[in-house]
Amino acid sequence: MTTMEIRDEREERARYAAYVNGVRIGFASSILVRETVLLPHVEVDPDRRDLGIGSMLVRRALDDARTEGNSVIALCPFVRRWVDLHPDYLDVARRPGPGELGAVNSLVAADRTMRLLHHEESKILATVQDLEPETP
């Protein structure tokens, strides 16, 4: 039996993640700044892009923001389009104000850097493990 779940990983990884049978198949980055959630990036495994997984990730992020009393700035084109198609979320989603744009761009760049560093870290750890001698 196949099980799919959306996990709230904001504390550990600043994201929501979709898993099928324990394997991560997608995520939505989430950055909380005061009472505003930035959604800069949604990514789904290319083989599973037409299954609505990105939509489930976005819906969960917006539902949690609404429950927690936060607004959401949809930066990812997919998230912006999703909000346009779901007007019942217009009370939560908003565009960045003119004074916020510089700070938002800096936060998105920092998020991108952290994701890249995390991916590089796993490659480095794999390389180090390959170099470790086998134990009998």
Side-chain angles (χ1 to χ4, degrees), residues 70-130:
N70 297 322
S71 64
V72 174
I73 297 178
L75 301 169
C76 171
F78 176 82
V79 179
R80 283 196 306 267
R81 179 75 176 133
W82 192 93
V83 170
D84 288 344
L85 294 171
H86 298 85
D88 47 321
Y89 284 91
L90 291 176
D91 64 312
V92 179
R94 66 181 182 84
R95 302 245 184 243
E100 295 176 309
L101 211 45
V104 166
N105 288 335
S106 295
L107 287 167
V108 171
D111 175 67
R112 186 175 301 124
T113 300
M114 291 305 292
R115 283 189 287 111
L116 289 171
L117 287 173
H118 176 69
H119 290 305
E120 290 303 316
E121 179 183 333
S122 0
K123 290 177 188 171
I124 292 167
L125 288 175
T127 304
V128 169
Q129 289 173 350
D130 290 343

Side-chain angles (χ1 to χ4, degrees), residues 6-97:
I6 304 296
R7 295 183 193 166
D8 180 349
E9 297 180 347
R10 290 178 290 173
E11 290 292 321
E12 312 86 35
R13 302 262 190 226
R15 70 182 182 200
Y16 290 88
Y19 289 84
V20 170
N21 295 333
V23 176
R24 185 171 54 87
I25 58 165
F27 67 91
S29 297
S30 175
I31 304 168
L32 178 63
V33 182
R34 296 191 180 138
E35 293 85 31
T36 301
V37 177
L38 306 177
L39 294 179
H41 185 72
V42 174
E43 189 173 316
V44 175
D45 178 36
D47 295 334
R48 297 191 165 121
R49 285 202 176 135
D50 293 329
L51 302 176
I53 295 163
S55 292
M56 288 186 265
L57 288 162
V58 172
R59 184 180 305 275
R60 172 70 186 272
L62 289 168
D63 285 343
D64 284 356
R66 179 183 279 151
T67 299
E68 295 163 7
N70 297 322
S71 64
V72 174
I73 297 178
L75 301 169
C76 171
F78 176 82
V79 179
R80 283 196 306 267
R81 179 75 176 133
W82 192 93
V83 170
D84 288 344
L85 294 171
H86 298 85
D88 47 321
Y89 284 91
L90 291 176
D91 64 312
V92 179
R94 66 181 182 84
R95 302 245 184 243

